[in-house]
Amino acid sequence: MPSSASAPAPASSSSSSFHTSWQSTYPWTETPLVASAPMLNIAMPSLAVSVSSAGGIGFLAAGYDVSNLERNLQEAVHLVERTDTPIRSVFHSTGTLPIGVGFLTWGADLEMSVVTIKRYRPCAVWLFGPQTHPSDLIPWVNGVRAATYGRTKVWIQVGSVAEAAAAAEALRPDVLVVQGADAGGHGLAHSASVLTLVPEVCDALKERRKSEIAVVAAGGIADGRGIAASLALGSTGVVMGTRFLASVEASIARGYQDEILRASDGGVSTVRSTVYDRVRGIKGWPRRYDGRGVINRSYTDATECGMNDEENRSLYKGELEKGDSGWGPRGRLTTYAGSGVGLVKATLPAAKILDQVRLEARDAIQRLAGS
């Protein structure tokens, strides 16, 4: 495996073409391109395959513990073989699995991950959360590209212009996932919204002659209007996470999903904090990250009542025994969601969500064009 001190291998020549045509790299996809985020413990094979089957790019969450990755990819292969959509023929003709895999690199085992990626060859690998950016990602990028001869495309998540520029120079990714502060779950504690972040990143790439790198917007995008706006800002596609929490295929507790449907006014009802990691005893995240979730008693007891982490964790463990009633404003269980949560009104199959948001986006673009 390449040393972490070595420079990353060059991106394949095809990366320059799918900035203008995703179909050249992901031939089953429809426009506008929508990917589903690799949400930990939620984006499992059923959701990932369903999104790709419906013309998007579904990502499977490997997270920071890859011990179940091979089993999940085996299940994904089984689901792809059972579908009657274009992804099955793409899989048969290319040998590339038409879903992506997302890794939290601060905890995931590199060697085990690369071995599994080589065996199953997903269409993309999404890398996020290095202890040191971008140097810790170099062995990941080298390993993935060498293992799959560049067929597995490299997506790097960033949350600032500086991160984007550094990743472009050092890693030459195929895709930059530019995540704004409105995103649910984990991201940079200090970041702008996609409204300013995406165009500034696009400008920075142009200045560095790196415009062949595709920019995908993430954070607060929950409907077709958000997709249309992101495309206008310079992105070539979008990622949605919170919207797919309310999908039939999401691996999610009913109480969590009900809270997603209940919450509104996300700028007020959600908050960025490290409390939600601390109550669950998750300590591996680098200090520059926090997570956005719906405000509940775990948060208010910590920040308004001065409750210490030990007591808060103990109460959290007790709340787990309540099942679905452990979620909600008076509950304690973590409900990661973006500030666009108020736009999520119903639980639908992933395919229906994609049909709906693509139609909304096209309508919005046509209105703006005056047609």
Side-chain angles (χ1 to χ4, degrees):
M1 185 172 297
S3 166
S4 60
S6 63
S12 66
S13 60
S14 66
S15 65
S16 62
S17 65
F18 72 85
H19 179 74
T20 53
S21 176
W22 284 98
Q23 286 82 1
S24 65
T25 301
Y26 308 115
W28 66 90
T29 57
E30 298 180 25
T31 56
L33 189 283
V34 179
S36 58
M39 299 173 287
L40 190 62
N41 299 322
I42 292 172
M44 294 289 100
S46 180
L47 178 57
V49 173
S50 294
V51 170
S52 290
S53 293
I57 301 178
F59 275 87
L60 170 71
Y64 54 83
D65 178 2
V66 298
S67 56
N68 292 323
L69 177 58
E70 178 152 9
R71 183 180 67 185
N72 286 330
L73 286 170
Q74 286 176 344
E75 182 180 347
V77 169
H78 177 67
L79 292 173
V80 169
E81 292 285 9
R82 291 175 58 189
T83 185
D84 59 357
T85 66
I87 65 170
R88 183 172 62 179
S89 60
V90 169
F91 181 46
H92 288 170
S93 63
T94 66
T96 298
L97 186 62
I99 66 167
V101 180
F103 293 93
L104 299 175
T105 62
W106 59 258
D109 183 280
L110 172 59
E111 184 175 357
M112 184 184 302
S113 300
V114 169
V115 167
T116 308
I117 291 301
K118 182 176 183 178
R119 183 174 297 128
Y120 290 91
R121 207 164 71 193
C123 69
V125 161
W126 174 326
L127 304 176
F128 174 49
Q131 291 286 352
T132 303
H133 178 89
S135 58
D136 284 359
L137 296 178
I138 290 175
W140 281 88
V141 173
N142 282 343
V144 168
R145 284 183 170 149
T148 68
Y149 302 98
R151 294 183 183 181
T152 294
K153 302 305 177 183
V154 175
W155 294 39
I156 304 292
Q157 180 176 329
V158 296
S160 71
V161 179
E163 279 195 344
E169 295 287 354
L171 306 171
R172 298 191 291 280
D174 300 291
V175 177
L176 281 175
V177 180
V178 179
Q179 186 201 60
D182 289 324
H186 288 84
L188 287 185
H190 301 288
S191 182
S193 76
V194 294
L195 187 65
T196 58
L197 184 58
V198 167
E200 192 170 357
V201 166
C202 291
D203 288 349
L205 293 177
K206 184 177 181 180
E207 290 169 4
R208 289 164 175 79
R209 298 184 179 180
K210 302 290 184 182
S211 295
E212 76 278 3
I213 299 172
V215 169
V216 170
I221 302 164
D223 65 8
R225 293 169 294 183
I227 295 172
S230 299
L231 297 175
L233 294 170
S235 75
T236 55
V238 304
V239 171
M240 297 198 306
T242 300
R243 183 63 192 91
F244 286 110
L245 291 174
S247 64
V248 171
E249 297 87 351
S251 178
I252 187 172
R254 177 64 182 270
Y256 190 161
Q257 198 168 71
D258 286 347
E259 183 64 356
I260 295 300
L261 297 176
R262 182 204 65 80
S264 62
D265 201 1
V268 175
S269 64
T270 70
V271 67
R272 301 199 68 91
S273 176
T274 61
V275 166
Y276 301 122
D277 284 323
R278 301 202 309 266
V279 295
R280 294 182 299 155
I282 297 176
K283 301 177 180 179
W285 279 98
R287 294 182 63 181
R288 64 185 178 277
Y289 298 109
D290 62 12
R292 182 181 290 279
V294 180
I295 294 172
N296 61 15
R297 289 190 64 188
S298 290
Y299 176 78
T300 57
D301 281 352
T303 60
E304 298 175 12
C305 303
M307 181 179 289
N308 63 51
D309 286 350
E310 183 178 359
E311 182 180 0
N312 213 347
R313 273 197 301 273
S314 177
L315 291 171
Y316 189 93
K317 290 178 181 177
E319 201 84 345
L320 289 169
E321 299 176 2
K322 295 182 179 180
D324 290 334
S325 63
W327 279 273
R330 302 299 300 167
R332 310 193 76 89
L333 301 185
T334 298
T335 312
Y336 283 129
S339 65
V341 66
L343 297 170
V344 182
K345 303 295 187 182
T347 299
L348 298 170
K352 181 66 174 178
I353 291 172
L354 284 163
D355 286 345
Q356 187 177 80
V357 299
R358 282 193 292 247
L359 179 60
E360 290 171 351
R362 291 165 186 158
D363 286 347
I365 292 168
Q366 287 174 356
R367 287 198 304 273
L368 289 172
S371 56

